[in-house]
Amino acid sequence: MRQLGINPNHWYVVARSYEVTNKPTGVTLWQQAIALYRDSTGKVHALEDRCPHRQVKLSHGQVISDELECAYHGWRFNSTGECAAVPYLAANQKLPSCKIRRHSVKEQDGFIWLFPGDKEPSTEPMGLPEWEHLNYIASVAVIDCHAHYSYLIENLMDMYHGHLHQDLQAWAEASLQDINEDANRVDAHYTAQSYYKIDRIWSISQLFFPALRQLHSEPLDVSYIYPHWASKLGNDFKIYCLLCPVNETQTKAYLIHFTSLNAFWRLHKLPVWFRRFVKDSLFNAAKKLLDGLVIQDVQMIEEEQQVYLQNPEMRNYELNRALVSVQKLMRSQVEQVE
C-alpha cells in the first residue's frame, strides 16, 4: 500500500486558480514535473516541465507571445509542446523536431484540474458545486505532508480519529453504520454528535465560541471518490479534499470546508449582489479551525510514514472496515493501468 502508484486516468488538482499567472509555475504530480501558465486570453496550459535542449525546467523561464520560453537558451515551445522558435537558429537550419508532453488541464471551481493519463479524458473533473453557490461559505486549507497519499485517505475516511482533535472537531461519538462501494468509490455512513447547528442568524458564532454549540445527532457521510474525498455532516457542513500525490513519500492536497446557509430561506429574497458580498466577506471564516485540524493530522500521518520507512514489515491492526474497503479500491484503481 505504501508504495502504490496512482491511476493517471483521473483528474487531479495541482493548484488554485490564482496561483497560475502569465509567469510559469512548476508543480509535481506523481513524479511528473509540470509547468503551468496562462496565455494572453487567460487560458491555462500545462506542459512537461523540461526543455528537451538541455533538460532544465521550463518553469524557470517566461511566457512570450503565448509561448513558453526557456530561461537557459531562449528556446520557445507552443501550447501543444512543439518547439516554435530558437533565437540563434541559422538561416540554413530547421527548427528541432523535439516535442514535450502536453497535459489536458481545466480551470474549474477555483482550482486547476489536470489529467495526467496518456489518452484524452472521457470524464469531467469531480468539481465543487458549492464553490459558486451563494448559499455556501468556503474556507480553504493546504495539506502538505511527507507521507504516501494512502495515509491521508485513510485518515480522512476514519471518523474514529476525532479523539485526536478534541475542541477543534465539529463532531464526536462517531459510529460506522454502513458501507457502499463500487469500482470508483467507497461511501462510509456514520452517525455522530454534531456540535454545530446553522439555523439562526448568530449560528456562525458557534465556530468561535464553544459555549454556544448545540450537541445533537447527525448523519456523517464520508466518501472516497477516487482520487478525491468528500464528506457531509448533516445539512450544515460539507468538506472536500482534493489530492495531488507528489511521490511515494509526499502528498499535497487542498481541504475545502463549506458552511451551508440553506436554512436561512429569506436569503433568497435578498439581491444577488448582496448575497455575493456576504459570501465573499465570510470566505475563510473557518480557516483557523481547518489549519488546526491539518497540523494535528499531518503530525500523525508523517509519523506513520516514518515508522513504515524504518520497518516496512511491521503490521498494523485495523478495526475500521471502511479502511479495508478503501485500500481495496486504491489497489484496484492502480491495477487497471498495470
Side-chain angles (χ1 to χ4, degrees):
M1 281 302 304
R2 311 313 176 187
Q3 299 175 7
L4 199 65
I6 64 169
N7 183 342
N9 298 317
H10 291 272
W11 291 92
Y12 294 80
V13 167
V14 291
R16 292 182 64 180
S17 289
Y18 77 85
E19 296 175 312
V20 182
T21 67
N22 60 355
K23 296 181 180 180
T25 299
V27 298
T28 303
L29 173 58
W30 200 252
Q31 304 172 357
Q32 297 184 59
I34 300 162
L36 304 172
Y37 68 95
R38 292 184 188 273
D39 62 22
S40 57
T41 69
K43 183 178 179 181
V44 177
H45 300 280
L47 294 177
E48 181 181 358
D49 197 1
R50 176 186 65 86
C51 178
H53 176 216
R54 294 290 182 88
Q55 315 306 322
V56 300
K57 289 184 178 296
L58 286 171
S59 57
H60 294 325
Q62 59 184 333
V63 178
I64 303 293
S65 300
D66 293 342
E67 295 170 348
L68 194 51
E69 181 186 76
C70 180
Y72 201 0
H73 290 84
W75 289 31
R76 292 188 193 174
F77 297 85
N78 60 27
S79 60
T80 67
E82 297 173 330
C83 183
V86 175
Y88 51 87
L89 193 70
N92 62 345
Q93 288 181 307
K94 294 182 179 181
L95 280 172
S97 59
C98 54
K99 185 176 182 179
I100 55 177
R101 186 178 177 188
R102 176 193 69 87
H103 293 279
S104 295
V105 65
K106 287 190 176 184
E107 183 172 15
Q108 181 178 320
D109 302 324
F111 291 87
I112 306 301
W113 302 73
L114 188 138
F115 188 90
D118 293 327
K119 59 184 180 181
E120 286 298 311
S122 59
T123 59
E124 294 296 319
M126 181 180 74
L128 304 173
E130 298 83 8
W131 186 261
E132 293 294 338
H133 199 297
L134 294 178
N135 284 2
Y136 289 90
I137 306 302
S139 298
V140 181
V142 177
I143 301 174
D144 198 349
C145 59
H146 296 285
H148 188 268
Y149 71 89
S150 62
Y151 288 113
L152 176 57
I153 293 299
E154 291 173 17
N155 168 276
L156 293 166
M157 291 296 290
D158 183 11
M159 293 297 97
Y160 294 127
H161 87 275
H163 177 78
L164 169 69
H165 299 306
Q166 302 299 323
D167 291 341
L168 293 176
Q169 191 56 274
W171 43 261
E173 300 178 24
S175 176
L176 181 62
Q177 303 297 308
D178 191 23
I179 299 173
N180 301 109
E181 51 189 305
D182 61 28
N184 294 301
R185 65 186 292 163
V186 172
D187 299 294
H189 307 287
Y190 295 80
T191 58
Q193 293 295 310
S194 174
Y195 290 119
Y196 307 106
K197 195 168 185 64
I198 309 301
D199 60 351
R200 297 288 186 272
I201 196 64
W202 48 263
S203 295
I204 194 71
S205 62
Q206 296 172 77
L207 297 174
F208 312 104
F209 301 104
L212 299 177
R213 297 171 187 170
Q214 307 170 42
L215 194 64
H216 61 286
S217 181
E218 292 279 16
L220 173 58
D221 299 320
V222 293
S223 300
Y224 183 32
I225 310 167
Y226 192 93
H228 306 295
W229 177 85
S231 73
K232 181 180 179 181
L233 176 61
N235 295 318
D236 295 329
F237 301 104
K238 292 186 177 181
I239 307 179
Y240 295 84
C241 190
L242 308 179
L243 265 76
C244 178
V246 177
N247 54 43
E248 289 90 342
T249 58
Q250 187 174 356
T251 302
K252 185 174 183 178
Y254 296 89
L255 194 66
I256 306 99
H257 178 284
F258 291 102
T259 301
S260 171
L261 302 180
N262 284 314
F264 305 105
W265 58 270
R266 289 193 176 116
L267 276 178
H268 300 286
K269 297 184 177 182
L270 297 175
V272 170
W273 69 264
F274 181 76
R275 294 171 65 194
R276 170 63 64 182
F277 171 76
V278 171
K279 179 181 176 74
D280 293 344
S281 298
L282 292 176
F283 179 74
N284 269 343
K287 181 172 173 55
K288 184 176 180 180
L289 176 72
L290 282 185
D291 287 341
L293 292 169
V294 168
I295 289 171
Q296 292 176 344
D297 280 336
V298 167
Q299 180 182 359
M300 296 294 104
I301 290 169
E302 292 184 340
E303 190 167 319
E304 286 185 275
Q305 177 70 67
Q306 288 304 310
V307 170
Y308 169 76
L309 292 175
Q310 294 165 9
N311 191 347
E313 302 302 321
M314 186 175 291
R315 178 186 172 189
N316 287 353
Y317 292 86
E318 185 53 62
L319 299 179
N320 188 343
R321 55 194 177 95
L323 271 60
V324 177
S325 297
V326 165
Q327 291 180 349
K328 178 182 174 183
L329 175 57
M330 292 180 195
R331 290 193 183 98
S332 66
Q333 282 288 331
V334 174
E335 287 171 357
Q336 292 179 21
V337 293
E338 288 181 347

